[in-house]
Amino acid sequence: MPFGYVSPAQAMRDKAEYARQGIARGRSCVTLQYEGGILMMAPNTSSALHKISEIYDRIGFAAVGRYPEFETLRKAGITYADVAGYQFDRRDVTARGIAIYYAQNLGTIFTESLKPFEVEIVVAEVGTRPEADQIYRITFDGSVNDEPGFVAFGGQADQVSAALKERYSPGMSLTEAFGAALAALTTTGNGERTELTATQLEVAILDRTRDHRAFRRIRAARLEELIADSRSADAKSTPAPEAPASESAPPPSGSAPSPSGSAPSAGSEPATGPDRGSTDRGGGVGGGDGTPPNPL
């Protein structure tokens, strides 16, 4: 222990600064509503260490920061949800209740431990209609924020949130929401964009149309298709540079205008993720053996 006296206010500021610096070293994650549910996306090259997971029937979990710390919280949230659903009713398990549970634990750790958790968490619940969707952001000190529409957290969250705000609109399709999230995650501070491949992304949705388990991962061919569609849409929306005005003589008469092709219409969206009835929750009461699903 240090010999000098440190005021409680200064100790809290030091803890907060320490946690912010640790979280900022990672990559940002985004969660946003679309017409058919809620989309969660994070840059992640690992196929086994997930940042996005299922908590309960229609509730998803996303986190950034130190993996061992938010994995501990994820498993605790699964246990809390399973016990509450068993003792009362499955409909009594809500994203709000889990968010408050996480906030209480993180607040206690922040005030009583020498080292705070370097994590930020989002708990999202999809409703039967868009107005019933819930997205909560829980920070390292136990603060809870209700985030309507979309939220970016971790890493350069302010920069990603500003880019997402320019592209987000209520009622977007899955393809449009995916394109907005991908553009926000790949935008750099100088206005340029980096490239993210399917192997560098972790993507999941909470599907509003499913009756029971709404959580589904988007992998393999479907993920490649969404990336290609989003890049194609960006190319179409980018205006072509205007040709400089020419003072020379007009082109000779009789020249035929250049033909212009039309883009093929988008087809229907195929099913995503594993088969109905599979689970992604890992540990916890009734949560499976914790073995990650085999990638497609």
Side-chain angles (χ1 to χ4, degrees):
M1 296 295 292
F3 294 98
Y5 170 76
V6 179
S7 66
Q10 182 62 43
M12 293 297 105
R13 285 193 293 268
D14 291 343
K15 288 183 179 182
E17 183 63 23
Y18 175 84
R20 290 192 188 99
Q21 290 177 356
I23 295 169
R25 285 193 291 266
R27 299 289 299 273
S28 299
C29 178
V30 297
T31 299
L32 66 157
Q33 291 177 281
Y34 70 98
E35 185 179 9
I38 297 176
L39 171 68
M40 310 176 93
M41 182 188 300
N44 187 8
T45 57
S46 175
S47 60
L49 306 179
H50 297 306
K51 295 181 179 180
I52 302 170
S53 298
E54 178 188 21
I55 290 290
Y56 209 60
D57 293 347
R58 306 179 70 82
I59 302 174
F61 169 96
V64 294
R66 292 181 61 87
Y67 178 80
E69 294 176 349
F70 69 68
E71 178 67 6
T72 300
L73 293 170
R74 182 189 73 87
K75 291 182 178 179
I78 291 173
T79 303
Y80 167 84
D82 279 340
V83 172
Y86 177 78
Q87 289 181 336
F88 304 102
D89 188 87
R90 300 187 76 88
R91 292 171 296 181
D92 294 329
V93 181
T94 63
R96 178 179 177 274
I98 296 175
I100 293 174
Y101 172 78
Y102 281 146
Q104 292 172 343
N105 282 271
L106 285 172
T108 300
I109 294 170
F110 182 77
T111 55
E112 296 182 0
S113 301
L114 291 177
K115 177 196 172 301
F117 273 18
E118 302 168 56
V119 298
E120 281 194 22
I121 294 172
V122 160
V123 178
E125 179 180 359
V126 64
T128 56
R129 61 187 189 281
E131 295 78 11
D133 292 346
Q134 300 177 34
I135 301 176
Y136 296 98
R137 177 184 182 184
I138 306 99
T139 57
F140 56 87
D141 59 352
S143 301
V144 183
N145 297 307
D146 182 10
E147 304 286 350
F150 67 91
V151 59
F153 56 104
Q156 305 299 319
D158 293 339
Q159 172 184 316
V160 175
S161 181
L164 188 58
K165 185 177 181 180
E166 295 178 357
R167 292 175 171 264
Y168 176 79
S169 61
M172 294 189 299
S173 66
L174 176 59
T175 302
E176 293 171 338
F178 183 93
L182 184 62
L185 289 174
T186 56
T187 301
T188 60
N190 55 7
E192 299 179 355
R193 291 181 58 179
T194 59
E195 293 294 336
L196 289 174
T197 63
T199 58
Q200 297 172 314
L201 284 173
E202 182 179 1
V203 184
I205 61 171
L206 295 171
D207 191 348
R208 193 187 320 280
T209 61
R210 300 190 69 87
D211 295 331
H212 186 45
R213 308 199 87 114
F215 185 89
R216 289 291 179 268
R217 292 193 181 277
I218 300 179
R219 297 188 179 98
R222 179 57 175 143
L223 184 54
E224 294 279 5
E225 180 184 348
L226 286 172
I227 293 175
D229 290 345
S230 65
R231 289 173 179 169
S232 176
D234 284 343
K236 293 177 183 178
S237 62
T238 302
E242 296 181 359
S246 175
E247 297 180 357
S248 60
S253 61
S255 59
S258 59
S260 60
S262 59
S265 59
S268 61
E269 297 177 349
T272 61
D275 295 333
R276 181 188 298 269
S278 60
T279 179
D280 185 69
R281 299 195 299 161
V285 178
D289 57 2
T291 304
N294 294 326
L296 299 179

